[in-house]
């Protein structure tokens, strides 16, 4: 179970990171953007770490309080879930 959760986090984080980069590029070009719901959706379902690093590296959405505080909060929640899963499945 733990390795599946880690795999999910890895894939979703990679996708989230890429989406932040793509959206930043689209913002600079003035073209059709990726909805914030989509960016948050990938972060919620395991991609918070990738979203956080995407925000920092691409300097994207860093002034939006919902992202500034929401993404780190999701990272903490996901780390807690990972810890719970690790403890549960290593003690059985």
């Amino acid at each position: 179970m733990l390795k599946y959760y880690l795999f999910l986090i890895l894939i979703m984080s990679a996708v989230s990171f890429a989406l932040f980069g793509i959206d930043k590029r689209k913002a600079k070009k003035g073209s059709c953007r990726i909805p914030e719901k989509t960016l948050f959706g990938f972060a919620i379902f395991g991609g918070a770490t990738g979203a956080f690093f995407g925000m920092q590296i691409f300097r994207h959405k860093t002034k939006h309080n919902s992202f500034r505080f929401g993404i780190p909060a999701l990272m903490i929640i996901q780390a807690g879930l990972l810890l719970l899963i690790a403890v549960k499945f290593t003690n059985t």
Side-chain angles (χ1 to χ4, degrees):
M1 178 73 166
L2 180 60
K3 62 182 168 183
Y4 296 117
Y5 189 67
L6 286 171
F7 183 72
L8 172 73
I9 288 174
L10 179 68
I11 296 300
M12 294 301 280
S13 287
V15 171
S16 290
F17 181 83
L19 287 175
F20 272 82
I22 291 166
D23 193 47
K24 178 66 176 198
R25 187 172 358 115
K26 288 183 173 203
K28 284 183 175 181
K29 289 182 179 180
S31 63
C32 186
R33 305 276 303 277
I34 296 171
E36 289 185 354
K37 287 181 185 180
T38 302
L39 296 173
F40 254 113
F42 277 91
I44 287 169
F45 291 107
T49 303
F52 178 78
F53 285 111
M55 285 174 57
Q56 302 308 311
I57 290 170
F58 300 117
R59 295 185 180 175
H60 192 52
K61 302 287 186 191
T62 56
K63 293 184 180 177
H64 295 257
N65 283 336
S66 59
F67 283 90
R68 242 176 66 200
F69 299 111
I71 298 298
L74 287 171
M75 283 177 63
I76 292 167
I77 291 167
Q78 290 171 10
L81 286 172
L82 182 61
L83 183 63
L84 283 173
I85 291 170
V87 168
K88 170 129 175 91
F89 287 98
T90 56
N91 288 336
T92 54

